[in-house]
Amino acid sequence: GDMYTQNSEFESAVTEYKAASKILQRLNKGKTKSCAELHEKLGDAHIELGSTYDAVVAYDTACQILQEAGRLKGGRVVGLLIKLGDAQVDEGLFSEALVAYSEAYSISEAA
């Protein structure tokens, strides 16, 4: 499809992800993994829309949710941290990106 329809699709996806994550947090069920995944998808949608700042916030939220649950480990998390780092680099947040990358590295080393 053309760029316009793609963009509006991503924008409605963003709205849906946000609504879904609110519902999940209210229900408090299976919160950790599902919520983290939703925020990661929200970040992906923001990347597609070209709003890297919002992506940083979404990816960072996903990491925080996992960290609070003591589940910041495994291959999926490495991927998430790298996405966070890449988005932070695009935003010029180099020291934050370094933290994300080194976290990803230490998780992959531990695996």
Side-chain angles (χ1 to χ4, degrees), residues 21 24-25 28-41 61-73 76-77 80:
S21 69
L24 271 176
Q25 276 162 337
N28 222 6
K29 283 195 186 120
K31 187 175 115 183
T32 310
K33 199 161 163 283
S34 320
C35 261
E37 280 172 10
L38 268 172
H39 283 286
E40 183 177 355
K41 288 195 171 90
T61 304
C63 288
Q64 280 169 21
I65 291 169
L66 290 168
Q67 195 164 26
E68 281 166 22
R71 293 174 69 171
L72 203 58
K73 50 187 180 281
R76 279 211 45 142
V77 174
L80 172 61

Side-chain angles (χ1 to χ4, degrees), residues 11-22:
E11 273 164 17
S12 59
V14 165
T15 313
E16 282 169 34
Y17 289 139
K18 281 183 174 163
S21 69
K22 282 202 184 88

Side-chain angles (χ1 to χ4, degrees), residues 14-110:
V14 165
T15 313
E16 282 169 34
Y17 289 139
K18 281 183 174 163
S21 69
K22 282 202 184 88
I23 292 166
L24 271 176
Q25 276 162 337
R26 264 211 306 275
L27 290 174
N28 222 6
K29 283 195 186 120
K31 187 175 115 183
T32 310
K33 199 161 163 283
S34 320
C35 261
E37 280 172 10
L38 268 172
H39 283 286
E40 183 177 355
K41 288 195 171 90
L42 178 58
D44 295 345
H46 281 309
I47 293 287
E48 292 294 339
L49 286 168
S51 47
T52 46
Y53 175 77
D54 292 319
V56 167
V57 174
Y59 291 146
D60 195 42
T61 304
C63 288
Q64 280 169 21
I65 291 169
L66 290 168
Q67 195 164 26
E68 281 166 22
R71 293 174 69 171
L72 203 58
K73 50 187 180 281
R76 279 211 45 142
V77 174
V78 171
L80 172 61
L81 283 161
I82 289 169
K83 283 185 197 177
L84 172 61
D86 290 347
Q88 286 168 328
V89 167
D90 288 343
E91 281 296 306
L93 305 164
F94 300 113
S95 52
E96 288 91 334
L98 193 60
V99 172
Y101 290 141
S102 53
E103 186 90 18
Y105 180 74
S106 61
I107 292 171
S108 61
E109 281 291 280

